[in-house]
Amino acid sequence: MKNNLSALFISLAVIISASVLGNAWKRSHSGKSALHVTGLASRDFDSDLIVWEASFSKKAMTMKEAYKNLKDDAEIIRRYLIDKEGLKENTIVFSSVAINKEFETQKNGTETKQIFNGYSLSQTVDIESKEVEKIEGVSRRITELIDAGVELSSQAPRYYYTKLADLKIEMLASAAKDAQVRAQKIVENAGGKISRLQSAEMGVFQITAPNSTEEYSWGGAMNSASKKKTVSITVKLEFQID
């Protein structure tokens, strides 16, 4: 009799344990699951704004003479850009003049002296324009002024895009759509269904030269050296799934 009662109690314990574990499993799996996906969008485009800069300098023993010579050079450059290159005067910006006293070191035995060697004055000329090809040509031809005695150094142009804000919004929409398609494919293959979007976060937004080896960074690269560019953006979405 005792053996029968023990067997009964053991059977009931097994049944009750199985019931408790089964309910616990249901409770642990009854909550909604979340799926995290990252969408990517990229597009090639051409810059529509160019910024070009050149610097020039003059040196003389007196500041007055150095300034006069620098002012003459600035006028030569201005007339060249307007008369020969056909630029509008309001696109040409001259910076303030930088002044530097120069010295040379002279040694006489153990004695060292700093001897004043003149005033070096420098200035930059900047051009910002939407006539990209035209200013590219100017930046290459401007060194012709060296023959006119202008000590001028031309910098490489920098390229930008004036409609970047609108492009960014379009790219965000494309990346979000890509993320949603990825999520749907994953969930459908697993036999589930997307319920709703829980959160969205923009990832890396950057502009690089096409087919470049520029490294992707969290802050995002912003290439200004190439006229042709590639913009890419990532979007992270979290979906609730059934």
Side-chain angles (χ1 to χ4, degrees), residues 14-174:
V14 171
I15 293 171
I16 293 171
S17 297
S19 177
V20 170
L21 290 173
N23 289 332
W25 186 90
K26 288 180 180 179
R27 286 195 300 271
S28 66
H29 289 74
S30 62
K32 300 293 184 180
S33 298
L35 174 65
H36 300 264
V37 291
T38 299
L40 171 66
S42 63
R43 183 186 303 177
D44 295 333
F45 67 97
D46 290 339
S47 303
D48 64 356
L49 180 71
I50 185 172
V51 178
W52 169 74
E53 176 184 304
S55 59
F56 55 102
S57 61
K58 279 296 183 182
K59 183 178 178 180
M61 291 305 294
T62 67
M63 186 183 297
K64 183 177 180 179
E65 182 184 2
Y67 180 73
K68 179 185 179 302
N69 293 339
L70 189 74
K71 188 176 179 181
D72 291 343
D73 280 1
E75 182 60 20
I76 292 172
I77 294 170
R78 190 179 71 85
R79 290 262 55 96
Y80 174 88
L81 294 174
I82 294 173
D83 296 343
K84 186 170 183 179
E85 296 292 351
L87 301 187
K88 296 179 181 178
E89 189 160 6
N90 60 4
T91 65
I92 305 169
V93 178
F94 287 91
S95 70
S96 58
V97 177
I99 303 172
N100 183 46
K101 279 186 175 182
E102 293 191 354
F103 296 85
E104 63 175 287
T105 303
Q106 290 186 352
K107 288 187 176 182
N108 185 10
T110 59
E111 186 180 357
T112 301
K113 291 183 179 181
Q114 295 293 318
I115 306 299
F116 176 67
N117 197 31
Y119 290 92
S120 178
L121 274 59
S122 60
Q123 199 170 11
T124 62
V125 55
D126 295 88
I127 295 174
E128 181 177 310
S129 174
K130 289 189 175 182
E131 296 181 287
V132 177
E133 288 77 13
K134 184 173 185 176
I135 304 306
E136 280 182 325
V138 172
S139 70
R140 290 191 292 267
R141 292 187 296 270
I142 193 71
T143 51
E144 295 174 358
L145 291 178
I146 295 176
D147 293 334
V150 179
E151 298 178 18
L152 184 139
S153 176
S154 176
Q155 305 298 316
R158 303 189 304 276
Y159 300 91
Y160 302 95
Y161 188 60
T162 59
K163 299 176 183 177
L164 191 58
D166 294 335
L167 179 61
K168 190 173 185 178
I169 292 173
E170 293 177 16
M171 299 303 293
L172 276 170
S174 297

Side-chain angles (χ1 to χ4, degrees), residues 174-191:
S174 297
K177 184 176 181 181
D178 179 64
Q180 185 175 11
V181 170
R182 291 171 186 262
Q184 287 174 338
K185 292 294 184 182
I186 293 171
V187 173
E188 287 174 4
N189 289 336

